Amino acid sequence: MRLTNTLTGEVDELRPVQPGRVGLYVCGVTPYAAAHVGHAMSLMVYDVLVRYLRWPGNPAGGYQVLFTSNYTDVDDKVIERARESGMDPLELSERNIQQWEQEQTLLGLTLPDVRPRVTQEVESILEMIQEIVGHGLAYPTPSGDVYFRVRSKADYGKLSHRDIDQLRQGTRFEPGDEKEFPLDFALWKAAKPGEPAWDSPWGKGRPGWHIECSAMARRYLGERFDVHGGGLDLVFPHHENEIAQAEAAAGQDGTDPDAPPVFADIWMHNGMVTRDNTKMSKSLGNVVSVEEALERWGPDPIRMFVLTSHYRASNNLTDEAMAAATAGVERLTTALRPSEDWESQPDAMASTSDREIDAPDYRRRFIEAMEDDLATPRALSVLFNLARAINRAREASQDVSAAQAELRGLAGVLGLRLAQPTAEAEALLDAVALSRLAADLSVSCGGTDAASTVEALIEARQAARADRDFARADRIRDALAEAGVVLEDSAAGTRWSVRR
RNA sequence: GGCCACGUAGCCAAGUGGCAAGGCACGGGUCUGCAAAACCCAGAUCGCGGGUUCGAUUCCCGCCGUGGCCUCCA
């Protein structure tokens, strides 16, 4: 599989350090607030990567993936937010992490295998800082901070493709700054009164922002691993610093071109989500939370929205785009309907023709797209082509069950559920409103639950149609539509489903 | 100001040096009592101006526009 590698600037072949196994690290959230759809999109990209890598159908026969993603559960922002709301910082983190993990499940995201937190990894973080200091690439200050010595790392800037001089422009020393150089960044921050703090050789304090990822990735994936992912906005300075720290800990100052590879082979970055063409930001008040997105659109449409653009491109969330994504999900779902629901039944005689669906060909094209830098838009178009082939074959009374199984399987690799409307959807219906509706239309029904009321109304409509009282039949159908129930007539009867 | 992306039909979005995927919306048609679903058909000279080439949407240069990063951010 090929992936765009920010480090090399090229699309590189994934060659796992250990054959058959892939170590993946993705920068997780800083849980100072509830997650928004940007976080969801990011994780969804790596979720699809993980699903595809693990899929036995891929050319490698399925990798064993160790998926690691962290929580930076203590940092400036967490502390600041906690202070504003009078909460304990770690309690605030904990609460947001709990909510986010619940939402990840609702979104159909594969939970990372390892989910380390800064507060539980301080020991390994301190270990790494000491190594870096030991190699002369970091220094403590009189106040008890420890800074990375950027100027001593010859290849600093190699990920974001910038040089130190260029970066230096626009920076300056703050008054009272103990840094040797403006670009130096904190590995360890001396504690201020009232802040969460841990003991260290330099006094009480807490880890700086970037060091936790270097330390955790090394601890769980080893000194060298395969893929590191995150948002495009993390390239600089976060990921740049992660590399610098990891290499510095290994004693590499960037002057030896033959130094063994350390840290991630491939750096993968996903684009940002914008809302109506504007970056989501708290100050603009246009942030869409995961909670809100799940409520409005549900997991499959959100996923469809994310997958219709390439992961590196930014993705503009609009109501229209979400409506299109929702309709797309329904199209695929409809193609998976059992044939009994259709008016034409499979005809044993018809399926012998040479027009049978070439399912392996669709699978081959799907794989080709996924292998090529996770080209989900192309993979999806293969799925839509397959859906059309299924619908067409079904109209020709052919048996499409094998093709449907293929479609379901491939959609599953992308994490799409494509569930037929079920009791779960029925729960959304308002049983009281429905029975009032039945009463208004003089329809009596046996049960009081939503489903049996709907059934009774459909029966009444069928009776009206039989009497050629189409005015009444249409009145019933319109009333049901208003209640969120959509009807479809066919020779096999009337089927109904719930639409939001 | 510096670095880096992107600009393809009404909207979203792939892709390629040689007839421009797919989805949504809209229009026409088949089916249907009417719908819905499904199927068929129609719809773009790929931001603008140069250059390279037998030939460019695809490569190069310039311009315009949008976005990201350079400070916290998925």
Side-chain angles (χ1 to χ4, degrees), chain A residues 141-267:
Chain A
T141 68
S143 354
D145 297 324
V146 179
Y147 285 106
F148 189 88
R149 187 173 275 137
V150 168
R151 269 180 313 176
S152 297
K153 187 82 172 77
D155 55 356
Y156 185 80
K158 65 179 172 182
L159 177 72
S160 51
H161 306 289
R162 299 163 206 237
D163 61 67
I164 293 183
D165 293 333
Q166 175 204 317
L167 283 167
R168 192 183 179 176
Q169 293 172 359
T171 64
R172 57 174 183 172
F173 284 100
E174 296 296 327
D177 214 328
E178 296 177 331
K179 291 181 189 178
E180 290 177 3
F181 186 68
L183 258 40
D184 290 351
F185 55 91
L187 301 181
W188 186 259
K189 293 182 167 190
K192 292 177 190 134
E195 289 182 355
W198 289 262
D199 286 320
S200 86
W202 313 282
K204 283 205 171 279
R206 61 190 163 89
W209 174 36
H210 316 291
I211 189 69
E212 82 281 15
C213 286
S214 304
M216 296 182 202
R218 185 174 75 172
R219 175 162 180 201
Y220 294 103
L221 299 173
E223 192 169 56
R224 179 184 174 196
F225 59 95
D226 305 299
V227 183
H228 188 130
L232 220 32
D233 55 350
L234 293 179
V235 175
F236 188 89
H238 186 56
H239 291 162
E240 192 68 63
N241 292 351
E242 277 188 50
I243 293 182
Q245 292 160 340
E247 293 183 348
Q252 298 183 6
D253 63 5
T255 53
D256 178 8
D258 297 322
V262 163
F263 218 52
D265 282 349
I266 292 182
W267 284 85

Side-chain angles (χ1 to χ4, degrees), chain A residues 1-3 12-16 22 53 63 226-227 266:
Chain A
M1 169 174 216
R2 294 170 301 281
L3 292 168
D12 291 340
E13 186 71 38
L14 172 66
R15 293 200 173 82
V22 172
L53 289 174
Y63 292 97
D226 305 299
V227 183
I266 292 182

Side-chain angles (χ1 to χ4, degrees), chain A residues 228-433:
Chain A
H228 188 130
L232 220 32
D233 55 350
L234 293 179
V235 175
F236 188 89
H238 186 56
H239 291 162
E240 192 68 63
N241 292 351
E242 277 188 50
I243 293 182
Q245 292 160 340
E247 293 183 348
Q252 298 183 6
D253 63 5
T255 53
D256 178 8
D258 297 322
V262 163
F263 218 52
D265 282 349
I266 292 182
W267 284 85
M268 201 176 150
H269 289 102
N270 61 277
M272 304 289 100
V273 176
T274 56
R275 170 68 172 168
D276 298 322
N277 263 323
T278 315
K279 185 175 177 175
M280 283 197 278
S281 91
K282 294 260 172 5
S283 54
L284 288 171
N286 64 349
V287 172
V288 181
S289 69
V290 169
E291 192 177 9
E292 186 189 341
L294 278 168
E295 167 66 26
R296 278 191 72 178
W297 301 298
D300 266 1
I302 294 171
R303 191 173 283 263
M304 179 66 76
F305 165 73
V306 169
L307 300 182
T308 47
S309 72
H310 187 76
Y311 74 90
R312 288 184 62 85
S314 62
N315 208 350
N316 188 29
L317 179 72
T318 62
D319 290 352
E320 203 177 353
M322 289 310 301
T326 305
V329 168
E330 272 176 24
R331 182 170 171 74
L332 294 183
T333 307
T334 303
L336 288 178
R337 272 190 204 162
S339 290
E340 305 88 81
D341 283 13
W342 290 66
E343 35 194 302
S344 49
Q345 296 292 312
D347 178 342
M349 300 307 287
S351 63
T352 57
S353 74
D354 57 356
R355 293 178 55 215
E356 265 184 71
I357 298 171
D358 187 359
D361 185 56
Y362 288 92
R363 171 185 282 240
R364 187 185 56 69
R365 283 157 54 204
F366 175 87
I367 292 169
E368 204 173 86
M370 295 297 279
E371 287 286 310
D372 184 12
D373 201 15
L374 206 67
T376 54
R378 257 195 292 154
L380 270 179
S381 83
V382 173
L383 262 45
F384 280 111
N385 285 147
L386 180 52
R388 168 166 290 125
I390 288 170
N391 290 330
R392 202 182 300 181
R394 185 148 47 188
E395 294 210 340
S397 299
Q398 295 174 27
D399 181 6
V400 294
S401 49
Q404 284 182 315
E406 189 66 59
L407 175 57
R408 188 184 301 284
L410 297 180
V413 175
L414 298 179
L416 290 167
R417 292 171 185 157
L418 304 184
Q420 301 296 327
T422 57
E424 197 181 312
E426 286 166 26
L428 295 171
L429 295 175
D430 184 343
V432 176

Side-chain angles (χ1 to χ4, degrees), chain A residues 52-70:
Chain A
Y52 180 71
L53 289 174
R54 285 181 176 157
W55 183 45
N58 73 30
Y63 292 97
Q64 215 176 314
V65 179
L66 186 58
F67 178 19
T68 304
S69 188
N70 67 291

